[in-house]
Amino acid sequence: MGTPSLSRWAVLVLTLVLVGLWAPCVVSGLPNFIVILADDVGWGDLGANWAETKETPHLDQLAAEGTRFVDFHSAASTCSPSRASLLTGRLGVRNGVTHNFAITSLGGLPLNETTLAEVLREAGYSTGAIGKWHLGHHGRHHPTSRGFDYYFGIPYSHDMGCTDTPGYNLPPCPPCPRHRTAARETNKDCYTEVALPLFENITIVQQPVELGSLARRYAEEAARFIQRASDSGRPYFLYLALAHMHVPLTPPLPPAPGRGIYGATLSEMDALVGRIKEVADSHGKGNTLLWFAGDNGPWAQKCELAGRLGPFVGAWQRQRGGSSAKQTTWEGGHRVPALVYWPGRVPAGRTSHALLSILDVFPTLVALAGAALPPNRRFDGLDVSPVLFGWSDVGHKVLLHPNSGAAGRVGEIEALRLAQYKAFYTTGGAMACDGSTGPAERHQPPLIFNLDRDLQEQEPLDAASGEYRAVLPAISSAYAQALQDIAADNVSVADYSQDPAAIPCCNVQHVGCRCRGAPGATLAPHVEKRTPRLCL
């Protein structure tokens, strides 16, 4: 009589053991994801894209071992909107982030928007963000409230606060004040009164930031995160948003002759990416997808401290004044370098001409994780895993380009890509190195360029030509359908209100919010530099 009972217990125990073993296997069988986002990097800053560039051997090796995407675009041509689109898969006209947040911003990426980190964490991923955030830092807009288990970095651009070693900028900015003195005369674009903060989770661990060691610290924290996640047996998602190549530039050593400050900083970024690849490979080569891309094009008004556009010079705009790079809807503003590396899954040494976007990161990684897209909203990104795996080279049929500050209303859809054709409904140039800005011009009917023949965007099609008349109806229809789709969507509105009380400050009693533990201040030998100082 006892044998059947014992058998039932044996089956139950075996079942529990198998369930216990199977559950983590399901999670651990998922791929890891690393998304590295470079700041203000030019399409031509990648040696694999542009032969004149010699400073990126690690990125070029990444291209040789993975797939290079040469028609890849940011979702906006400036910081906050581009990052919001990466983490939501939606354009700024949908997710509400149409321009940059300030150090005094109370809001950020709207809380009803679901981030990639939130979806992946729900799917069992360990999630970490390292580097620049710029999607709100006050209250619940902080990264640790937006799906990230761990955060280490600067809450906005690293030119939005003073430091003791300001690095290279044009025009140059002064170091942080050390004493309370009368207001100093300085450039209006410099932040002189509040030091730049470095966060670990919700704690300011350094203020002002030591910019010269930032790349090393980011690499170290990324390696620690990967190690912790690997030890836990969970898959991980690491979002590494670099300070490179945004000003101020802080090359690690005096630049070698002929390379310049920009080249030396580009080399540092390249080495950092190489280090992250090395660490990821050491924890199971073939288990991790690494996606490298830029957030927007070079900041041309910074002159020799700005990156290379490659062939995408926006010649039509340049003839009329202003820059055709960052903040604009010209190719130089939003066509960015992009590489995907996943040994055994993504073909090595391949160049894809598919029309892709940073918007595609969200739906693609969600699909690869076996998760579902958030309901009750529409997405501008696509699951492009067939393109990544080399099964297809077809991406977007239509891609929209919003104004990012150069001309017109911020966030407004001003240009549209359909196959090889690009139509402009509004043109304008951002500030150029020479100080000029191109005037805003409305175009009805639109200017249309054939990028197959004219990557420089120099000569629009003649409106009387057969080619123009043939393509205009399809462009007009696509533009109208896109606007209708946006109008019918569940659209969010970001809070752009400001209050000086929202400025991160580890010690309001000190000039510039300086922490005693920050470099330049007296620190007792036994005191750890990471002395916690809550800021929220």
Side-chain angles (χ1 to χ4, degrees), residues 40 76-79 100 296-301 323-330 332-334 402-407 410 414 428-431 437:
D40 288 2
S77 297
T78 195
C79 305
N100 289 340
N296 49 247
W299 198 356
Q301 76 179 76
S323 158
S324 56
K326 179 178 178 176
Q327 296 186 296
T328 79
T329 52
W330 299 97
H334 53 75
N403 169 39
S404 297
V410 289
E414 292 186 347
M431 183 173 289
T437 55

Side-chain angles (χ1 to χ4, degrees), residues 255-325:
R259 295 179 63 200
I261 295 163
Y262 192 89
T265 310
L266 186 60
S267 290
E268 182 183 54
M269 182 191 80
D270 178 72
L272 194 162
V273 174
R275 172 60 180 151
I276 299 304
K277 173 182 177 290
E278 180 184 15
V279 171
D281 283 347
S282 71
H283 288 276
K285 191 170 184 177
N287 295 338
T288 303
L289 181 155
L290 191 158
W291 198 324
F292 172 88
D295 73 332
N296 49 247
W299 198 356
Q301 76 179 76
K302 299 301 178 178
C303 304
E304 70 269 17
L305 302 182
R308 295 185 174 105
L309 292 169
F312 307 108
V313 296
W316 188 91
Q317 183 61 58
R318 284 193 175 185
Q319 293 165 6
R320 289 157 179 79
S323 158
S324 56

Side-chain angles (χ1 to χ4, degrees), residues 168-173 187 189 247-248 301-306 433:
Y168 296 91
N169 200 347
L170 285 176
C173 291
N187 183 284
D189 295 325
V247 293
Q301 76 179 76
K302 299 301 178 178
C303 304
E304 70 269 17
L305 302 182
C433 176

